[in-house]
Amino acid sequence: MIVKSARMKTSAQGISSTCRHVFHGSDNEKITVLQGSEFDVRAELGRARSVGSQYAVRHIKVSSYEDMTDKQLFKLVKKYAREFKADPSSATIVRHDKPRADGKASTHHYHIYFPEVLANGKIMDSSFSKIREEKIARIAEIDFGHKPVLGKHNASVIKDLEKSGQKYYADIIRQNTPSLDPKDAPDASYSDKQFRRAKISGTALNEVRQTLKELRINSESFGQMIEGLDQHNLEICKGDKANTYIIVNNDNGNVLGSANRLFQMKKTDFNQQYESYINGQDTKFEPLEASVENIPAQKVAQTVSDPSTRILSSRQDNKPQPQNQASQSKPAGHWSGNAPIALNTEKSVAVEGMTQQERQSIHDFNKQEAEKDQQVRELLADQKKFAAMLDDVISAFHKKYQHLPPEPFANPSFRDSHIIEQRIHEQLDPLRSAYLNKKGWLSGGKELKAFNEKTRDLHFKDFPRLDILNNQKDYDYVIRNMSSLYAASRKKKHDQWSSSIDVINYVNNKKDIDNLVSYIQQHEDADLLLLASKSTTLAIQKMQEQPQTYNNVIHKKNSVKAIKLQIGM
């Protein structure tokens, strides 16, 4: 099991990037918020700034080879909170579900956020956090019956456990540790610590470059790679030279060098990926579709499917697509760029060492892909597909909040005492009238029983000395009183529901989603719809940046009529 954390600074943009990945990351098959919300995490930024704290939240990632239940995760969170003197109820917990590359390890892992500023105004303890987090992981492995992981700081963990009287755990960890010599500690699994110790000098840069290369290889997307820099307390910044990005050490403000060189990437490739990441587009790593072998342009063209058989899906499939022989030989470590609005297309990038013929083949391949992009955009003008994609956007939004309890007494009339009184009269008046009409010495028993059963069903309470059967004023008074009690109880339940922070977050976001859907429908904006299918947050921001004008509506409608779907469906 691995438990590692990163402290998110108030001065950096780490919170925005990590929230984008944790709550909206497209790399995961399923994202489940188990406790707290994105609103809670972002709110800590303002709270930390108000007290002058350097850090806002602590982002903890928990992953294990064996499956771990949510109940076990909550136990681990409580243990972490006790270790660092925090409140477990203040943590935001998110579970990510996605298959591992080897198909054997657990398909889910967890992200946890703790406020750095505690309720008493003090800052959350962070001393020797790496050793203490390893201790938490080793104890959890023993408690949950997981296979032990050889940690870099096992010797320190054993010493701390023995000092605190937890000899049981210390003995088990010692038995599972082949050597307690620091020289034998596994450096590869803990290169983060090794990198932090590196000082920028002529020889240390090789170590820095190697660490970043490992981060790049182990990341499943460009965005995950960039967000992984936070764990090393590094940050991407705009360089002084045009179209250049640099990596800065936040500990001392030193510039490590050009980002693309440290990541061993072509400058154009890095810039294209980074700008796509900033714009919220899919940055999943994909290897080149073109081979470095001598491939004729006609053969490359065969990898492109017929536009008439290509159907745009509202959900991008992140699974690897079958490739033909022309794409089996690929240079490792390169991946394709994204268009300004990412479609379900392929794109190849020329690499150093290619012949002119190979470069021309790639150029022709990309040209055909660009043409297919345009054809797909035209397909979006078809109202059926347009409406289906809008439905998918709305459904995806509601799916994120499916954990919320249903709104109690959602219809306002259910909480209106006058309407409740009217409905009670509609149920009781016929039964009371039937009894009064048959009331006599030997009659009316059946009607009286029906009336009493209905009052029990309505949970009427007893009103001593009031004759609701024979006295109209008493009857009206009791119904009016019960209606008020019904309304007050229902209103209280509804107020409790609506005051929940998750519900407030849902209501506010739903207003934005409704406005976005309305805007897309009115403007028939295919580009904005495509962006919304990937990130509604970015789509809403883009919509709000648009001028409030409808001049382009006529143009778009005329364009739709002019296209008339030249591609066969």
Side-chain angles (χ1 to χ4, degrees):
M1 180 182 299
I2 296 176
V3 179
K4 60 180 181 180
S5 67
R7 305 178 76 190
M8 303 286 101
K9 285 190 172 184
T10 57
S11 58
Q13 296 182 353
I15 291 183
S16 296
S17 62
T18 189
C19 282
R20 184 163 56 243
H21 168 70
V22 171
F23 292 94
H24 309 286
S26 60
D27 298 338
N28 303 288
E29 289 187 352
K30 184 179 180 182
I31 298 176
T32 306
V33 180
L34 302 177
Q35 179 174 299
S37 66
E38 181 181 2
F39 176 84
D40 295 334
V41 177
R42 293 183 178 272
E44 290 301 321
L45 183 62
R47 184 165 167 262
R49 286 174 176 170
S50 66
V51 299
S53 172
Q54 184 181 5
Y55 298 98
V57 294
R58 187 171 304 181
H59 178 200
I60 305 148
K61 183 177 179 180
V62 178
S63 60
S64 60
Y65 190 85
E66 296 84 358
D67 282 334
M68 180 167 52
T69 66
D70 294 344
K71 185 176 180 180
Q72 290 174 332
L73 186 277
F74 277 101
K75 289 183 179 179
L76 188 146
V77 170
K78 290 180 181 178
K79 188 177 294 290
Y80 193 101
R82 285 197 301 269
E83 179 69 30
F84 291 93
K85 300 178 179 61
D87 180 9
S89 65
S90 67
T92 295
I93 306 173
V94 182
R95 186 182 69 213
H96 282 185
D97 290 85
K98 65 177 179 181
R100 297 284 184 90
D102 60 3
K104 299 178 181 180
S106 175
T107 58
H108 59 264
H109 63 272
Y110 298 87
H111 293 267
I112 306 161
Y113 292 98
F114 272 104
E116 284 282 357
V117 180
L118 304 179
N120 58 10
K122 295 183 179 180
I123 305 301
M124 186 177 175
D125 185 15
S126 62
S127 60
F128 302 102
S129 60
K130 299 299 182 184
I131 297 175
R132 296 161 76 182
E133 286 167 355
E134 277 197 33
K135 181 179 70 173
I136 293 171
R138 299 294 84 79
I139 292 176
E141 289 165 357
I142 297 172
D143 290 344
F144 303 157
H146 289 188
K147 182 179 179 180
V149 173
L150 181 60
K152 183 175 183 179
H153 304 289
N154 271 11
S156 299
V157 169
I158 293 172
K159 183 178 179 181
D160 184 77
L161 288 171
E162 290 178 336
K163 185 178 179 181
S164 60
Q166 302 182 73
K167 191 174 183 299
Y168 167 76
Y169 292 109
D171 291 343
I172 294 178
I173 297 173
R174 180 181 284 104
Q175 293 172 6
N176 295 325
T177 305
S179 173
L180 295 177
D181 190 339
K183 295 181 180 179
D184 298 329
D187 289 333
S189 298
Y190 293 87
S191 57
D192 292 354
K193 183 70 175 180
Q194 183 180 11
F195 175 74
R196 279 184 169 276
R197 293 198 304 263
K199 300 298 181 180
I200 306 306
S201 63
T203 56
L205 275 176
N206 294 329
E207 186 177 343
V208 172
R209 188 181 294 110
Q210 179 62 30
T211 304
L212 294 180
K213 181 181 179 181
E214 292 175 1
L215 175 62
R216 174 186 169 192
I217 292 173
N218 295 328
S219 298
E220 297 181 3
S221 70
F222 185 91
Q224 184 178 350
M225 182 182 77
I226 296 299
E227 291 160 4
L229 292 175
D230 289 333
Q231 299 173 7
H232 304 279
N233 213 11
L234 301 177
E235 184 180 2
I236 299 287
C237 296
K238 191 80 171 177
D240 294 332
K241 295 182 180 180
N243 300 322
T244 300
Y245 294 95
I246 59 176
I247 296 181
V248 177
N249 188 336
N250 284 329
D251 284 335
N252 50 31
N254 289 343
V255 177
L256 302 185
S258 171
N260 64 283
R261 289 185 180 179
L262 290 172
F263 279 116
Q264 299 181 16
M265 294 177 61
K266 299 283 288 185
K267 184 175 182 179
T268 53
D269 294 347
F270 180 90
N271 290 355
Q272 188 177 36
Q273 287 281 344
Y274 186 74
E275 290 166 4
S276 297
Y277 165 75
I278 292 298
N279 292 329
Q281 297 163 18
D282 186 13
T283 58
K284 184 177 179 63
F285 286 167
E286 295 179 358
L288 281 174
E289 298 297 334
S291 170
V292 295
E293 299 172 354
N294 188 5
I295 308 172
Q298 293 81 1
K299 191 170 184 180
V300 176
Q302 292 175 2
T303 64
V304 184
S305 58
D306 189 335
S308 63
T309 63
R310 192 160 186 173
I311 301 176
L312 178 68
S313 171
S314 61
R315 179 180 178 182
Q316 299 289 350
D317 189 356
N318 288 332
K319 296 181 180 179
Q321 298 298 321
Q323 300 172 0
N324 60 10
Q325 186 178 359
S327 61
Q328 289 176 355
S329 176
K330 297 178 282 288
H334 291 273
W335 41 127
S336 60
N338 291 325
I341 295 295
L343 296 174
N344 191 16
T345 94
E346 304 167 0
K347 187 175 181 180
S348 297
V349 180
V351 297
E352 187 176 357
M354 282 188 171
T355 65
Q356 181 60 34
Q357 187 176 7
E358 291 168 347
R359 293 176 181 273
Q360 184 61 41
S361 298
I362 291 177
H363 172 76
D364 295 341
F365 176 82
N366 289 339
K367 183 178 179 181
Q368 293 185 27
E369 287 296 304
E371 292 174 353
K372 286 193 297 176
D373 273 4
Q374 181 59 30
Q375 291 169 339
V376 172
R377 292 179 190 279
E378 293 173 358
L379 278 175
L380 280 179
D382 176 61
Q383 293 302 312
K384 291 182 179 180
K385 289 188 175 296
F386 200 88
M389 286 192 70
L390 267 181
D391 289 341
D392 288 339
V393 170
I394 298 172
S395 298
F397 169 77
H398 287 293
K399 188 176 180 180
K400 289 196 304 182
Y401 292 95
Q402 62 184 0
H403 65 284
L404 291 179
E407 181 180 2
F409 308 107
N411 191 332
S413 64
F414 295 161
R415 308 189 300 272
D416 189 315
S417 62
H418 297 291
I419 297 178
I420 295 174
E421 180 181 353
Q422 179 182 349
R423 290 175 179 172
I424 293 177
H425 271 292
E426 291 173 355
Q427 296 181 66
L428 289 181
D429 285 359
L431 298 176
R432 180 171 179 266
S433 298
Y435 166 75
L436 293 175
N437 291 335
K438 285 193 175 184
K439 183 177 66 171
W441 183 255
L442 296 175
S443 62
K446 181 179 179 181
E447 289 74 15
L448 176 61
K449 180 179 179 181
F451 179 85
N452 290 334
E453 287 179 350
K454 176 56 68 174
T455 56
R456 284 195 296 269
D457 291 342
L458 294 174
H459 304 288
F460 268 42
K461 63 179 184 178
D462 294 332
F463 288 87
R465 296 186 296 277
L466 293 182
D467 186 1
I468 63 174
L469 277 171
N470 302 298
N471 189 304
Q472 185 65 37
K473 289 184 178 180
D474 290 349
Y475 176 68
D476 291 340
Y477 170 79
V478 168
I479 291 181
R480 188 160 48 250
N481 184 280
M482 289 301 304
S483 301
S484 298
L485 292 176
Y486 269 121
S489 175
R490 293 176 177 182
K491 185 177 184 301
K492 181 180 179 180
K493 292 180 179 179
H494 188 270
D495 289 346
Q496 290 174 344
W497 176 86
S498 60
S499 61
S500 166
I501 188 66
D502 283 342
V503 172
I504 294 174
N505 195 22
Y506 165 76
V507 172
N508 292 335
N509 289 337
K510 187 176 185 301
K511 291 179 182 178
D512 292 335
I513 289 293
D514 291 342
N515 291 336
L516 176 64
V517 170
S518 177
Y519 181 92
I520 292 175
Q521 288 175 330
Q522 291 179 5
H523 292 71
E524 296 183 356
D525 194 330
D527 287 346
L528 190 61
L529 176 56
L530 282 168
L531 182 58
S533 67
K534 288 184 168 295
S535 172
T536 53
T537 302
L538 293 173
I540 291 169
Q541 292 176 357
K542 184 177 180 182
M543 175 193 68
Q544 293 172 345
E545 293 171 359
Q546 299 297 324
Q548 298 298 320
T549 176
Y550 296 91
N551 293 336
N552 61 341
V553 175
I554 298 176
H555 171 72
K556 285 185 176 288
K557 288 185 176 180
N558 290 338
S559 298
V560 171
K561 294 178 180 178
I563 293 173
K564 290 297 183 181
L565 299 182
Q566 299 176 3
I567 305 171
M569 297 298 294

